[in-house]
Amino acid sequence: MDDAEKVFTQIPEFLEYLGTGCAEAIANAATPDKLDLSPKFPFLCSKHYANLIKKASEPEALLREILPTRDELANVPGFVDDPVGDLPAGKADCVIQKYDRRALIVSTATCGARCRFCFRKNYPFQSNPDVAKQVSDWLDTHSDIWEVILSGGDPLTLSPGKFRDLVEAIAMHGSVTTLRIHTRLPVMRPDLVMQHFELLRELSARFECVLVSHVDHPDELDEESQVIFGQLKFSGWTLLNQSVLLKGVNDNASTLEKLSRRLFEQGVLPYYLHQLDHANGVAHFEVSDETAKELVEQIRTRLPGYLVPKLVREIAGEKSKTPIL
């Protein structure tokens, strides 16, 4: 099966694939008058994620993450194109530095799917044919950097050759001791993760390796994600997860408890529960701080401390994530 057969770019094809068994969930997630068939932020969903929806206990929750609605067209005060201050923190075409002695690489604009709440949905991605060289050139003059974070888009959508070139370019700089990858592919395109496994298994001998997955709902985890996380953990990777608190997706204590427990069963520790970044077109997903704090307090009574994620917000210009206490 080639790559084009593994993704949906047209909403009618996607809905047809889901079939009548998901009709009620589709109606709950996006009524016909709300569904936007020609969204500004184009629709993209993997066949793998569609299959997760078909077998989910709460399919409407997963559908809300992926289906474009006319709610995205609303202009809401306080919601902007660059909510976390990526652009002022840009140091090169693909390098962002917000935090002391750490650098984030926008390695690609490509993702395994287009989540409707994405904080970079309005980001002006540049065409970077040689990200590895740009990163290497920048690190040449920044020998204080000890951690490099690969982001995007999703760095694991890079071809094996380009991904290896990027990692080798980073490894040439001895100051970099920690490599962190942020990815949603274990639940969106596990096939693309597997194409990098030979290199991923090697990297823990060269860096302290951290993988931060982005999983928002327990129904996103399956046997394929378990294989990926299991092999990475066996290879010496530290596995963390960050979720976004989303109205209609995971804004109840039962779902958050199940998510933490299922992540732990697959070898992943809950890390952050993010309050929504205020990007244009995502306001309909917002959960109030008061509700968010109540939810965390509820799960704190049900789970051991190591399974309770930190409730945080990213504020543009701040030197760290801001805890919500």
Side-chain angles (χ1 to χ4, degrees), residues 231-250:
Q231 291 195 28
L232 286 172
K233 188 173 183 180
F234 181 78
S235 299
W237 284 69
T238 296
L239 304 179
L240 305 172
N241 184 72
Q242 57 182 1
S243 305
V244 182
L245 187 59
L246 300 165
K247 184 178 181 180
V249 176
N250 57 11

Side-chain angles (χ1 to χ4, degrees), residues 147-223:
E147 181 181 40
V148 170
I149 303 158
L150 301 185
S151 183
D154 197 305
L156 296 180
T157 63
L158 291 170
S159 69
K162 286 189 175 181
F163 182 68
R164 182 175 286 274
D165 288 347
L166 177 55
V167 170
E168 293 295 346
I170 296 166
M172 289 171 54
H173 298 82
S175 66
V176 180
T177 58
T178 300
L179 181 70
R180 188 186 343 162
I181 295 175
H182 283 214
T183 181
R184 190 136 162 77
L185 290 197
V187 300
M188 286 292 182
R189 289 290 305 272
D191 59 302
L192 294 184
V193 183
M194 295 307 293
Q195 71 178 352
H196 298 299
F197 245 93
E198 181 181 350
L199 177 57
L200 292 173
R201 278 192 288 260
E202 297 172 6
L203 288 178
S204 58
R206 305 169 70 182
F207 299 98
E208 295 295 327
C209 290
V210 181
L211 183 131
V212 182
S213 60
H214 176 176
V215 184
D216 294 315
H217 193 280
D219 286 347
E220 294 178 334
L221 295 162
D222 69 350
E223 297 82 2

Side-chain angles (χ1 to χ4, degrees), residues 263-281:
L263 284 164
F264 188 58
E265 288 168 3
Q266 298 201 359
V268 184
L269 281 176
Y271 170 46
Y272 280 147
L273 179 61
H274 283 270
Q275 270 291 50
L276 187 72
D277 294 321
H278 285 188
N280 275 323

Side-chain angles (χ1 to χ4, degrees), residues 272 310-315 320-325:
Y272 280 147
K310 299 174 186 176
L311 181 63
V312 297
R313 169 179 285 112
E314 183 164 1
I315 299 174
S320 68
K321 301 290 191 295
T322 299
I324 300 173
L325 304 172

Side-chain angles (χ1 to χ4, degrees), residues 6-7 23 47 68 91 101 113 121 127-128 170 186 203 219 224 235 287 312:
K6 295 180 180 180
V7 298
K47 186 164 285 188
K91 303 300 180 183
R101 295 184 295 168
K121 66 192 304 179
S127 176
N128 293 312
I170 296 166
L203 288 178
D219 286 347
E224 291 190 64
S235 299
V287 177
V312 297

Side-chain angles (χ1 to χ4, degrees), residues 6 19 24 29 45 48 108 133 171 181 189 214 229 236 270 282 309 316:
K6 295 180 180 180
E24 183 178 352
C45 183
H48 176 80
T108 176
K133 184 177 187 308
I181 295 175
R189 289 290 305 272
H214 176 176
F229 293 138
V282 308

